Amino acid sequence: MVTSSSENGESSDESFEEEQENNALQVFPPNMPYKLPYIDVGDSTPRSTFGFEDFICMTIRMRLDCRVVNREGVVRARYNVLNEVVIDRGSSPYLCALECFCDDVHLTTVQADGVIFATPSGSTAYSMAAGGSVVHPAVPCILVTPICPHVLSFRSMVFPDHVVLRCFVPDDARSTASVAFDGKQRCELQRGDSVQIQMSAYPVPTINKGDHSSDWLESLKRSFNFNTRPRQKPLPKQKPLS
């Protein structure tokens, strides 16, 4: 039975705390908010066939809160994304010119086809294809991966989940830029516009078939043949020297 905490108020919170005490539900990452739907696995309810050793494992998939802001500080659009935010040059023939900040500290000047801001869930998608790291979904972080940068020193970076990243189009940029959220809702960024990216307060809970690592690793092997290669043949036995 799936029960929403918003429907039952305080009673659902008490039930959730009891489930935590009974170790019937494991939630990862443990520092994520718990005000989410949960599985009621009381004694009167038959045990689920999911998980190992009568444990149901839940992974909290973080999302990104993304806001498009104009030069006057007005929020034009706001999205919650599960995989990635991509700022690129769109249909322009020129390289993307972007100024990136981390907690209002200048990070870098981007001259590239674009830049990807990805969650751990999105680390195996566009970000990985662009050379970014593969991140376990239980690691709360934000990946910043350039797309074909015009300098060799700009490589994929991993930031903690509490930072606020901001990327804006400077007035001296040769052209406008374009931004897409999870591959959808594409909109144009004029000179002076910026995109603010931070961890969303509304993550996505997912139930694992096995546990937090086995499901993820199996999906990598199934989808990408991850680190799969023919096994080396053993060396032939050498004849002893007479």
Side-chain angles (χ1 to χ4, degrees):
M1 180 179 67
V2 179
T3 308
S4 173
S5 60
S6 60
E7 295 176 356
N8 296 329
E10 297 180 356
S11 60
S12 63
D13 294 340
E14 295 175 357
S15 300
F16 189 86
E17 292 176 359
E18 292 177 359
E19 296 299 340
Q20 289 291 97
E21 293 176 358
N22 296 332
N23 293 325
L25 182 67
Q26 294 179 343
V27 180
F28 281 80
N31 61 336
M32 287 290 189
Y34 289 140
K35 302 299 183 181
L36 297 166
Y38 66 94
I39 304 298
D40 186 355
V41 289
D43 295 337
S44 61
T45 304
R47 288 281 182 173
S48 173
T49 57
F50 285 89
F52 295 137
E53 299 178 354
D54 293 331
F55 283 99
I56 298 177
C57 296
M58 175 185 288
T59 298
I60 304 299
R61 300 264 181 167
M62 71 171 286
R63 293 197 293 176
L64 297 177
D65 180 5
C66 309
R67 309 178 190 189
V68 180
V69 185
N70 63 15
R71 66 169 66 246
E72 287 79 22
V74 179
V75 178
R76 291 170 41 201
R78 184 175 181 180
Y79 299 96
N80 280 299
V81 303
L82 180 62
N83 291 317
E84 75 275 314
V85 184
V86 180
I87 304 176
D88 56 30
R89 61 184 184 176
S91 60
S92 172
Y94 302 108
L95 288 176
C96 229
L98 302 168
E99 299 290 344
C100 291
F101 292 81
C102 175
D103 289 336
D104 291 329
V105 178
H106 186 261
L107 176 62
T108 185
T109 299
V110 178
Q111 286 189 307
D113 281 350
V115 61
I116 304 167
F117 300 89
T119 65
S121 298
S123 67
T124 55
Y126 194 2
S127 178
M128 184 183 72
S133 299
V134 176
V135 180
H136 193 287
V139 179
C141 64
I142 304 175
L143 289 84
V144 178
T145 304
I147 307 172
C148 299
H150 205 239
V151 292
L152 297 177
S153 58
F154 190 8
R155 290 293 180 261
S156 181
M157 296 176 288
V158 180
F159 291 90
D161 60 348
H162 59 77
V163 301
V164 177
L165 301 171
R166 183 167 56 89
C167 198
F168 84 93
V169 183
D171 290 332
D172 60 353
R174 288 190 172 186
S175 66
T176 60
S178 181
V179 59
F181 306 92
D182 273 343
K184 306 172 184 177
Q185 293 94 17
R186 178 174 288 272
C187 63
E188 187 176 10
L189 296 176
Q190 302 295 333
R191 295 174 181 83
D193 288 350
S194 63
V195 179
Q196 180 176 301
I197 300 159
Q198 62 191 55
M199 184 182 71
S200 172
Y202 305 100
V204 177
T206 57
I207 297 295
N208 297 292
K209 182 178 181 181
D211 61 20
H212 318 286
S213 294
S214 64
D215 286 15
W216 180 66
L217 291 173
E218 287 174 6
S219 67
L220 289 181
K221 294 175 182 178
R222 182 178 63 253
S223 302
F224 306 117
N225 290 326
F226 187 69
N227 285 344
T228 302
R229 53 155 292 164
R231 190 178 183 88
Q232 288 182 326
K233 295 181 179 180
L235 293 174
K237 294 182 178 180
Q238 295 182 355
K239 295 181 180 181
L241 298 176
S242 57

